[in-house]
Amino acid sequence: MFISIIMGGNHIGTKINLVALSGSIRKQSSTQKTLHSLKHFMPEKVDYGIYNVIENLPHFNPELDGDEPPEEVQVYRELLSGADGVIICTPEYIKGVPGVLKNALEWLVSSAELYTKPVAVITASGNGENAHHSLQLNLSMLNANVFEGGTLLISGADSKLNGDGEFVKSEVTASLKLLISKLIEEINKEKSY
Ligand SMILES: Cc1cc2nc3c(=O)[nH]c(=O)nc-3n(C[C@H](O)[C@H](O)[C@H](O)COP(=O)(O)O)c2cc1C
């Protein structure tokens, strides 16, 4: 399932399509809340959706990755293929990227949907430094475009969110806002080539 949060106005031909992936499948998670909070910073011309069934992807197995991969994988790949940019938000689990997200990224090795695509990376975790670094390594292997200004580490994320799932500290919201504007800037740069 793909939850589209924002439908932009009538900007046929100029719309920007952003797809987000969450490294936590806990529905009330800090990561999911962070991705939902981003809707406030999206310009009208952006369609923003969260692919929130990452757990339905089968365990990556090269033997399944033939001419006809599993249907869920095909849907996931098509969604990313149509995206102008991607936002990945993750917590840290045992000093790295949660298995469910790593698995989702492994499905993109042969099909290369993230190849040169602008990808913004947010780690929202207890500490998170290791996952933040590790995810960027994973993305470099996929040749994703993790551009300058396109990464944000939010340590202690849980304590910075209020009951409505919004960040209470203005420096966090300012950083998220800046991250989104940099992502859109990067996409527009690529589109103008
Ligand atoms: C199994 C497990 C392992 C964790 N390992 C780490 C870790 O290595 N480093 C860290 O900073 N936080 C770690 N945490 C804390 C989580 O990153 C933190 O609770 C985060 O907010 C969970 O994300 P979520 O709220 O989006 O589900 C771990 C949590 C769990 C459940």
Side-chain angles (χ1 to χ4, degrees):
M1 198 198 306
F2 179 62
I3 304 294
S4 188
I5 295 179
I6 285 191
M7 296 303 291
N10 184 17
H11 295 269
I12 294 162
T14 60
K15 266 190 167 181
I16 289 177
N17 183 18
L18 297 183
V19 173
L21 303 177
S22 168
S24 174
I25 58 175
R26 198 168 67 84
K27 297 303 174 206
Q28 285 306 310
S29 77
S30 314
T31 308
Q32 301 257 354
K33 287 176 186 167
T34 302
L35 286 176
H36 279 268
S37 79
L38 294 181
K39 65 184 180 224
H40 300 305
F41 314 127
M42 297 295 172
E44 210 191 319
K45 65 179 178 185
V46 169
D47 268 350
Y48 171 55
I50 303 171
Y51 176 76
N52 68 349
V53 283
I54 203 171
E55 67 270 34
N56 291 351
L57 294 168
H59 288 162
F60 176 70
N61 176 351
E63 286 169 355
L64 295 178
D65 196 12
D67 290 342
E68 212 169 308
E71 200 184 333
E72 190 62 40
V73 173
Q74 292 182 39
V75 171
Y76 165 66
R77 285 175 170 173
E78 270 169 36
L79 194 67
L80 290 177
S81 178
D84 297 302
V86 173
I87 302 165
I88 303 180
C89 185
T90 189
E92 177 170 305
Y93 280 2
I94 54 169
K95 304 282 181 207
V97 175
V100 71
L101 176 59
K102 180 80 172 6
N103 182 59
L105 294 177
E106 284 167 10
W107 276 112
L108 305 179
V109 173
S110 66
S111 49
E113 280 78 13
L114 295 190
Y115 183 79
T116 71
K117 190 161 288 194
V119 178
V121 173
I122 306 167
T123 305
S125 197
N127 177 315
E129 271 179 34
N130 296 291
H132 202 52
H133 176 64
S134 183
L135 178 55
Q136 288 175 64
L137 274 180
N138 299 152
L139 291 168
S140 72
M141 197 61 199
L142 296 172
N143 277 301
N145 173 10
V146 181
F147 50 93
E148 203 179 329
T151 65
L152 178 64
L153 172 63
I154 309 171
S155 296
D158 206 29
S159 64
K160 293 175 181 164
L161 285 156
N162 66 18
D164 297 327
E166 308 294 340
F167 281 102
V168 286
K169 288 192 182 283
S170 57
E171 61 262 31
V172 179
T173 46
S175 299
L176 287 168
K177 203 172 175 177
L178 184 64
L179 184 85
I180 296 306
S181 73
K182 292 265 180 199
L183 173 59
I184 289 166
E185 199 180 292
E186 190 67 21
I187 290 168
N188 284 334
K189 212 195 302 175
E190 296 211 345
K191 279 187 176 223
S192 65
Y193 281 131

